[in-house]
Structure formats: C-alpha cells, structure tokens
Amino acid sequence: MNQSSRPFYWMALSLIGVVIAAYILFPIFWLVLASFKTTGELASLPLTFWPQAPTIEAYTALFDETSQSSQLLNWPTLISNSFIVAVSSTILVVFFGTLAGYAFSRLHFPGRDLILGGLLISRMFQGAALLLPTYRLMNSLNLQDSLLGLILLYSAFGLPFATWIIASSLREIPFELEESAMMDGASRLQSMVRIVLPLATPALITAAMWHFVGAWSEFAFASILMESSDNKTVTIGLASFVELFTIEFNRVGAAATLVAMPIMVVFFFGQRYFTRGLLAGAVKG
Amino acid sequence: MGSVALRDIRKSYGAVEVLHGIDLDVADGEFVVLVGPSGCGKSTLLRSLAGLETISGGEISIDGSSIVHLHPKSRDIAMVFQNYALYPHMNVAKNMGFPLQMAKVSKSEIDEKVAKAAEILSLTQMLKRYPKQLSGGQRQRVAMGRAIVRDPKVFLFDEPLSNLDAALRVQMRTEIKGLHQRLGTTIVYVTHDQIEAMTMADKIVVMKDGHVEQIGAPLDLYDRPANRFVAGFIGSPAMNFMPAKVENGQAVLENGAVLAPAPEGLTEGQAFTAGVRPEHLMVADQGASANVTVVEPTGAELQFVVDLAGTPTLVSTRDRLHLRLGDTLHLEVEAGRLHAFDSETGVRLG
C-alpha cells in the first residue's frame, strides 16, 4: 500500500469499526437512556431519544424499601451474593491458575503441551449441555442452593482458560530471569513471586477480568442451582425483574445498568492490560 | 574469593553425553576463560558449576568443599548472563540490591554496598533508572554490579559481551579485565570469541564436543597448540594448514617447494600437516613461490591470500606492499614458527 492511500484505508477501517460498535452498543445505550426517563415519557408517542426530564427515580425505587420492586427483590442481597461469588471464584481461579500456569510454562512433564491444549476443549462445550449433569453433581455433593457451591462451580469452569492465558504469558518471560534470581539467592518460589509474577501482571489481570465478568453475568447455572431468595444472584434478580416490570421499562433499564456497572468499572481500569494479556504468546516481543 | 576444582564432570541429556569427563582447576583469584565453538559444552559446564544444570557424574568443589548437592543460591557464586537478565520491573539500585535483599541484609548496608558498586562501575547517576532506559553497555555494568555487591567466592560470566556492538565489546572487555585486577576475584568466563579469551584470560580452556582440547596460558596456546583444532581456533586470522613432508631436514610442500626447516621431533620422510600463522609468513627474496589471489588492506596491516602449492594461504604483514592479483612472490616462515601436526589425528608433532 502506498503512502497516499494509507490515511483513507485507516479512515475506512475506523468507519467500519464505528458502525459495528454503534450496532452493538445502541440497544445498551437505549436501555441506559430509558433508565433516566419517566414511565409516562416511555409510554408516550412519538418516542423520544434523549430523556425530556432526566430523573433517577427508577434507581432510587430499586432501593426504596417501600417500593413494590424492592419488596419483591432484595437488590442489596442480590448484588452482595453476586459480588461474593464473583470475587471469591476470581481469587481462586487466579491463584490456582497461576500455580498451574507456572507448571505448564516452566516444568517439563510428559504430555504437557497436549494437556495445556486440552484445557481449551472444556470451553468448546455448550453450557446448556452441562446443566443437568452439573445439577445432579451439585445435588449429590449437597452444594445446590449454596454460594460456596456456585463459587466452586464457577472456579472449576474458569480455571482452564485462566491457566491457559497465564501459561501463555509466563512462557514469554525468559527463564534466565528466574535462573538469575536463583543465583542471586532466591528460592524457586521467591523467584516466581518476586520476579515472574510482577512481569505477568497483564495476564493475571486479564484472567481475573475475564473470569469476574463471566461469573458476575452468569445466569444459567445460577438459575437452576439457587432456589432460596437469600442465595440468588443479580442475574436471576434481573431476569425476574424483567418479567415483573415489563411495563415500567425505566426500572428494567435502571436494574440492567446497575448490574452492568461492576463490569464497566472492571473494564475501565483493566482495559489497557486486557489486550496485552490476551495477546501474550501470539506475537514475539 | 575461592578456588574451584572440577573432577571428571559428565553431563548427559538422555542417552546423549555432552560433557565427557572434564577436569579443571581454577586457582583463587584466577581469570579462566572457557572457549570453543557453539555446542562444545562450555556453557553447560559453566551452568553445571552454577548449579543451574544437574551433572550426571563427577565432583565440583569450591575451596575444597563439595557443592554438587547445593542449590544455586547456596553455592556462593554470582553469574552474569548473556542477556544480562536484569529484572525489568526494578530500577538499577533495586536490581543491584536484590541479592543482598535475598540474603536479608539490612537496608542501610544494601544502600551502602550498592552505592559502592555503582561508583566502581560508574553507575551512580543511573541508580533510579530502569533497565529499558539503559544502553547495552550500562545494562552489562548493572549485571556486573549485581554480582559484585554479593562479594561471592566465584564470578561466572556466560558470553556477557556477545550482545554488544564491536566498539562497546572492546571497551567492556577492558572494564571486566580492570575489574578483575582491582577486585582480585576468581572468574570463570565463557566465550566463543578467541580474541576475548586471549586478551582477558590468565588461563584458557579450549573445548570441543564436550572434551577439553587444551588448557594453558594464552601465549602457550598460541605458541604451542596441542593439536590442529586448537591451532586453528586460537589466533586471528586463523592458522594456515597445508600438507607437507620431511626431506633432508626440511619441511617440503607437495610441489617440492621448501617451506622451512622441519620442526624437531619429525623423522626423515614423515608426512604431516604443516601449520603456519599468517603473521609468521614473510615475503622474501627466496623461498616457496606463490601467486597472489586476493588482496585485503585493513589499514593497520595488509592481508593477502596466495596459492601456495595448491593451498589457499593467508599472509598478514604490517609492511605496505603494493601487490596486485597474479603477482608471484616468495614466502619464508619466521624461524621456529612452523608447527607440525599428525595428518590423521591432528595431534601436535613438533
């Protein structure tokens, strides 16, 4: 490609990107805008795009104990449960994923690469195919309707991919650095903690973000395993809410925005690491 | 500082043995260079000494105590790696202080030792910088500083200059040599560059295919190479080799031309491989005649290739000769500078 055509090429690419982003984001944006509208405005014709009289009434109603929505769904409990499950399983996945990733990247054992590749096979199964066996398994272990059960389940599902991301990243870190640390007086564990892991931060953050987002927004397994209202997570709450408040679309919008908030926060702070972490191993540095 | 003894060191990867029983003594404060072509086992030997490779057999001791079963961190050995192996997330001061931190030395003592090492290596202004903000030479100095602060018994260098450009390599060579002279440290240094070996070493160990070919002082190896491999490896430009035999006490080439008096130890009529260094061939009024085929002036000296009895032979001289391709001239070998090697085994005959 010659120099003169390059700007047009990038402009065309950018335009395509903007169109795709708009196509994907418009419904979400519409939902967020709806959360700031009144029920009357939403019901009126013609439809308005921007809120005519922006209000946070739909948000306050979610937590107003006297409101119907709050009486039917305890949002602080739902959020707290989701937070406990997502954070706990993220910690477990990153901790064990780091240990396993280190083993796959540094130790030599028969079938190492085959097993590492095999870890990804677990992601090829549709979740729906695993619903029934998982339910029976959790039931037999007496872990249904338990936050601990959900934490363990999400950790088990998340661990292979986290291990794969972390192992790919650790392979990029020269082993000479660890050898140097060992010559400098560090044990293997010290060289891993003091030298390797700080350099693998993007991969660890990526694995954590990936898992947190998945655990926070998981619906299918939570919906079949969690029965009591004390143990339900936000995604179950949101689904119930949509059924209960279809007419009051501003409240549905507010609830959906609220549920998406932690994910947006996670991506806001971790975005710069995310691409680097995912690309580890893909290109030579 | 410490003395090192390696006895019958063997290393195998599966069925393949890469070190075949190496014996080596390094005296306290000695600068020993392991040199040889790629794959000769020199780095494996160094890493075995460091404890980064497990040996298959033999004994390694420092100051008379066996270290074979000790973890690298317990051997009291510091190592400078080919790629410097600086910790990218630590600044220069933290990199240099890391070994002391691992040894649980107090912060004030770490600061003091790092400052002292930084001064020796002219790194005082760089202490807050990160490795990526340093040039190749500065990184190399930081790697050396990290080794110095520990004051270990032995320093190991694994091809530390191979990533530097030619000018910097010469400068760092001088700095490492100066450092050794100042600190009096025991150093085992690996390189494939024989000039590095010649200029820096008290003792050179020439290796090939997992065997030691010769151990000796640089000039001993240059003057009396034990075999044809060492003769060809040590010295730059490399030694010329040509088939010859002894006739009337003279070394005679295949075309009958007399090269020089035959070295002592050869018998009349014995065929051998004659070895002569390019700088020991002189243009003379008489002697073996040769045709000039390539002329390469380098400035300080003139190198040219001649056809000597069918063998392309390099000659190096500081005389400013005006040679042209096809010129015929006569060559003599400097007295006592003709080497003789067995044509089959390559072993030195005289």
Side-chain angles (χ1 to χ4, degrees):
Chain A
M1 187 180 303
N2 61 42
Q3 289 289 324
S4 59
S5 65
R6 189 166 290 173
F8 298 104
Y9 174 73
W10 287 114
M11 275 174 67
L13 272 187
S14 303
L15 191 65
I16 292 168
V18 167
V19 170
I20 292 172
Y23 179 74
I24 294 168
L25 292 176
F26 183 77
I28 299 167
F29 190 55
W30 179 257
L31 194 70
V32 174
L33 287 179
S35 72
F36 292 104
K37 294 176 183 175
T38 60
T39 314
E41 186 181 346
L42 282 166
S44 66
L45 286 171
L47 292 175
T48 56
F49 184 75
W50 298 106
Q52 298 302 300
T55 172
I56 56 167
E57 179 195 287
Y59 289 90
T60 52
L62 291 179
F63 296 97
D64 180 1
E65 289 179 5
T66 60
S67 75
Q68 189 191 3
S69 63
S70 192
Q71 284 162 7
L72 288 168
L73 287 165
N74 188 344
W75 282 99
T77 304
L78 295 171
I79 291 170
S80 158
N81 287 344
S82 277
F83 198 74
I84 289 168
V85 169
V87 170
S88 304
S89 65
T90 299
I91 290 169
L92 285 177
V93 158
V94 172
F95 180 75
F96 288 108
T98 301
L99 294 179
Y102 184 85
F104 278 113
S105 70
R106 290 292 192 252
L107 307 182
H108 298 276
F109 51 87
R112 182 184 69 167
D113 292 339
L114 198 67
I115 299 169
L116 185 61
L119 289 178
L120 288 181
I121 292 175
S122 64
R123 295 196 65 81
M124 295 173 190
F125 286 99
Q126 281 295 319
L130 299 171
L131 280 176
L132 189 58
T134 303
Y135 179 80
R136 294 192 63 172
L137 177 70
M138 298 300 273
N139 207 17
S140 65
L141 293 171
N142 216 15
L143 284 172
Q144 89 282 20
D145 197 23
S146 132
L147 291 181
L148 176 64
L150 211 52
I151 290 167
L152 294 176
L153 184 69
Y154 288 174
S155 302
F157 282 142
L159 195 52
F161 192 57
T163 301
W164 190 81
I165 288 180
I166 294 169
S168 302
S169 165
L170 295 185
R171 281 184 174 184
E172 298 289 298
I173 298 170
F175 187 53
E176 237 179 24
L177 290 179
E178 272 183 85
E179 289 186 328
S180 177
M182 286 191 258
M183 292 302 299
D184 284 343
S187 65
R188 183 137 204 174
L189 186 64
Q190 280 174 317
S191 70
M192 178 182 152
V193 173
R194 302 288 297 271
I195 306 298
V196 178
L197 294 189
L199 298 175
T201 306
L204 300 183
I205 290 178
T206 302
M209 282 172 65
W210 189 280
H211 184 79
F212 180 86
V213 169
W216 179 268
S217 38
E218 202 286 325
F219 171 72
F221 288 97
S223 67
I224 62 158
L225 288 171
M226 307 314 250
E227 289 156 10
S228 63
S229 56
D230 283 349
N231 285 335
K232 286 188 175 171
T233 55
V234 280
T235 48
I236 307 173
L238 189 60
S240 316
F241 200 73
V242 172
E243 286 172 21
L244 292 168
F245 295 93
T246 310
I247 298 168
E248 293 180 79
F249 194 65
N250 55 346
R251 293 198 185 181
V252 174
T257 305
L258 201 69
V259 169
M261 201 65 80
I263 294 172
M264 286 192 271
V265 170
V266 163
F267 268 91
F268 181 78
F269 288 106
Q271 192 182 22
R272 66 197 177 105
Y273 295 105
F274 196 68
T275 321
R276 277 161 62 192
L278 279 182
L279 285 177
V283 289
K284 192 169 167 62
Chain B
M1 294 303 117
S3 60
V4 180
L6 305 176
R7 292 285 172 269
D8 194 28
I9 302 301
R10 292 177 185 278
K11 172 69 185 174
S12 301
Y13 294 104
V16 181
E17 191 171 75
V18 294
L19 294 178
H20 309 284
I22 306 283
D23 291 305
L24 174 65
D25 287 297
V26 182
D28 190 6
E30 198 171 28
F31 195 133
V32 171
V33 175
L34 309 180
V35 68
S38 295
C40 71
K42 55 191 188 296
S43 284
T44 307
L45 186 63
L46 192 81
R47 289 170 58 81
S48 300
L49 175 55
L52 298 173
E53 298 280 352
T54 311
I55 55 174
S56 312
E59 180 60 47
I60 305 173
S61 58
I62 294 180
D63 287 339
S65 304
S66 173
I67 58 164
V68 170
H69 300 293
L70 295 182
H71 188 272
K73 69 173 186 171
S74 308
R75 295 188 176 203
D76 202 5
I77 291 174
M79 185 160 168
V80 176
F81 289 80
Q82 183 174 353
N83 297 323
Y84 323 124
L86 299 183
Y87 311 128
H89 57 300
M90 295 182 190
N91 63 23
V92 170
K94 290 226 165 81
N95 260 285
M96 288 170 66
F98 184 76
L100 300 175
Q101 212 182 352
M102 287 293 102
K104 296 189 169 34
V105 174
S106 69
K107 190 175 179 311
S108 59
E109 198 178 339
I110 292 176
D111 292 345
E112 190 186 322
K113 287 189 172 182
V114 167
K116 194 176 165 191
E119 197 183 329
I120 291 171
L121 295 161
S122 309
L123 287 169
T124 307
Q125 305 301 318
M126 319 273 172
L127 287 174
K128 298 287 175 211
R129 292 196 192 172
Y130 284 84
K132 66 180 175 189
Q133 298 169 309
L134 303 175
S135 68
Q138 289 164 343
R139 288 180 197 183
Q140 188 54 264
R141 281 207 286 270
V142 175
M144 287 196 288
R146 202 168 59 189
I148 288 174
V149 291
R150 286 177 52 190
D151 193 21
K153 284 185 175 170
V154 182
F155 285 84
L156 308 181
F157 289 82
D158 188 5
E159 307 215 28
L161 308 185
S162 56
N163 286 347
L164 304 179
D165 62 47
L168 201 52
R169 207 152 51 218
V170 172
Q171 184 194 330
M172 290 306 297
R173 212 161 68 192
T174 311
E175 286 191 24
I176 294 174
K177 183 77 179 165
L179 200 66
H180 173 249
Q181 285 165 350
R182 194 177 337 175
L183 302 176
T185 47
T186 305
I187 292 179
V188 182
Y189 185 107
V190 160
T191 180
H192 62 270
D193 182 345
Q194 58 87 27
I195 294 186
E196 259 175 61
M198 291 293 285
T199 51
M200 298 169 88
D202 295 324
K203 185 158 81 185
I204 295 176
V205 180
V206 183
M207 293 182 66
K208 181 192 172 197
D209 298 335
H211 294 278
V212 170
E213 295 289 318
Q214 189 174 1
I215 299 176
L219 289 180
D220 287 345
L221 268 60
Y222 178 82
D223 290 336
R224 287 191 64 79
N227 54 46
R228 183 176 164 164
F229 174 77
V230 176
F233 196 82
I234 297 292
S236 178
M239 186 182 278
N240 299 296
F241 298 102
M242 57 208 81
K245 65 180 176 179
V246 182
E247 279 183 20
N248 300 321
Q250 302 288 317
V252 177
L253 301 177
E254 282 183 325
N255 66 352
V258 174
L259 191 60
E264 285 181 17
L266 300 180
T267 55
E268 189 64 22
Q270 184 177 357
F272 66 98
T273 298
V276 57
R277 296 195 183 280
E279 57 272 31
H280 295 150
L281 279 167
M282 301 178 300
V283 178
D285 294 333
Q286 53 187 0
S289 69
N291 288 326
V292 177
T293 57
V294 178
V295 179
E296 294 175 330
T298 64
E301 57 187 23
L302 176 70
Q303 295 184 355
F304 56 97
V305 179
V306 295
D307 180 351
L308 185 60
T311 305
T313 303
L314 183 71
V315 182
S316 176
T317 178
R318 288 189 168 272
D319 296 335
R320 298 223 163 176
L321 304 174
H322 298 285
L323 298 176
R324 283 178 302 185
L325 299 186
D327 281 357
T328 300
L329 39 79
H330 297 278
L331 294 174
E332 277 185 348
V333 178
E334 212 175 289
R337 294 296 194 174
L338 182 67
H339 306 266
F341 303 99
D342 188 290
S343 303
E344 298 292 319
T345 64
V347 171
R348 181 182 188 85
L349 299 172

